[in-house]
Amino acid sequence: MEKMDMSAFNPYFPKIFTALDYDLKHRIETPISLKYYSKIPIDGKGISFEIPKDTTIVAIPEWTTGSKFYEIGYGYTSYPTYEKGWRYVRPFILADDLNPVDNEQFYYVDMGSLEAVLDKVIEVNQPFQAEIRQQGWSLKKGQHVVARYIDNALYQHGVYLSPDLFYKVIDRWNAILLGAIGIIVATYLLGRGTWSSRK
């Protein structure tokens, strides 16, 4: 992950959004302690740094050029890794950080921590809740989808199937198609065998 150029994936994410006429609560207090690692830990040790619980962070970036709800690769909008439940992301910026442009380093963090922050973001932002309900999702499903937004985009572009992705590789339609092909092949082989035995 450290050797990959994450900017290569930028074309997969739209840059133009309709201007939204509402205020968002960009800063929240973390509902849990956020632990960031330089590599995925085996035993939970080796923390690079930690943002303690109740620290005020910039959860929704005010400087984003894309969506008003997230910025790709920052905070809770993380990249998938090869390990289920572990994400690769630029950490949340502390609200009192005077130099947020220095936040370009990526770290590993567990998905549960990011989902806890995302729950709080959804809870304090009515527009976010409205966007989720407009999709016909429950708030829990909305949180699940938003937390895996990058996974979904990479999968749709045929780049990577994340272990955290909520889609199944073989869905109902793939199973039906596979079954139909199996029936056709079996019918052909059985028909061929019957025709050969008549000769």
Side-chain angles (χ1 to χ4, degrees):
M1 295 291 298
E2 297 86 353
K3 295 177 183 174
M4 294 178 68
D5 177 12
M6 296 305 181
S7 64
F9 303 114
N10 287 343
Y12 301 142
F13 306 103
K15 295 285 185 208
I16 300 171
F17 289 85
T18 306
L20 303 173
D21 189 22
Y22 48 70
D23 292 326
L24 292 174
K25 188 165 184 178
H26 294 268
R27 298 161 188 246
I28 64 163
E29 291 182 356
T30 58
I32 59 165
S33 293
L34 296 163
K35 298 174 183 170
Y36 292 92
Y37 301 83
S38 57
K39 56 184 167 181
I40 297 174
I42 295 171
D43 54 6
K45 296 180 180 174
I47 298 172
S48 291
F49 71 94
E50 182 175 351
I51 299 175
K53 181 179 179 182
D54 297 325
T55 302
T56 304
I57 59 169
V58 179
I60 302 174
E62 295 143 341
W63 60 85
T64 184
T65 57
S67 169
K68 296 295 182 192
F69 296 126
Y70 56 81
E71 179 180 313
I72 300 300
Y74 169 81
Y76 56 79
T77 314
S78 56
Y79 287 99
T81 65
Y82 300 106
E83 298 280 335
K84 184 174 175 60
W86 286 96
R87 311 299 292 183
Y88 197 60
V89 70
R90 294 186 342 264
F92 290 104
I93 293 172
L94 304 182
D96 58 1
D97 189 349
L98 300 176
N99 199 6
V101 293
D102 290 341
N103 188 34
E104 294 303 315
Q105 179 70 38
F106 281 78
Y107 292 92
Y108 296 95
V109 64
D110 74 279
M111 174 65 94
S113 298
L114 298 183
E115 287 180 330
V117 172
L118 185 53
D119 276 343
K120 179 87 180 264
V121 170
I122 293 170
E123 177 188 322
V124 300
N125 283 291
Q126 292 293 330
F128 212 154
Q129 294 176 29
E131 289 281 326
I132 288 170
R133 288 196 176 107
Q134 282 177 355
Q135 297 295 326
W137 300 330
S138 67
L139 292 179
K140 192 68 182 167
K141 176 159 186 191
Q143 175 251 43
H144 188 86
V145 170
V146 172
R148 290 157 183 81
Y149 173 71
I150 292 180
D151 306 46
N152 188 30
L154 294 177
Y155 175 70
Q156 287 178 348
H157 286 88
V159 175
Y160 178 60
L161 176 59
S162 163
D164 291 313
L165 198 59
F166 54 94
Y167 291 135
K168 296 176 184 170
V169 178
I170 298 180
D171 60 11
R172 183 181 327 149
W173 291 109
N174 290 359
I176 290 170
L177 182 60
L178 187 60
I181 291 171
I183 291 170
I184 291 168
V185 168
T187 304
Y188 172 76
L189 292 176
L190 288 174
R192 190 170 181 213
T194 304
W195 186 75
S196 295
S197 65
R198 289 182 185 169
K199 281 184 151 183

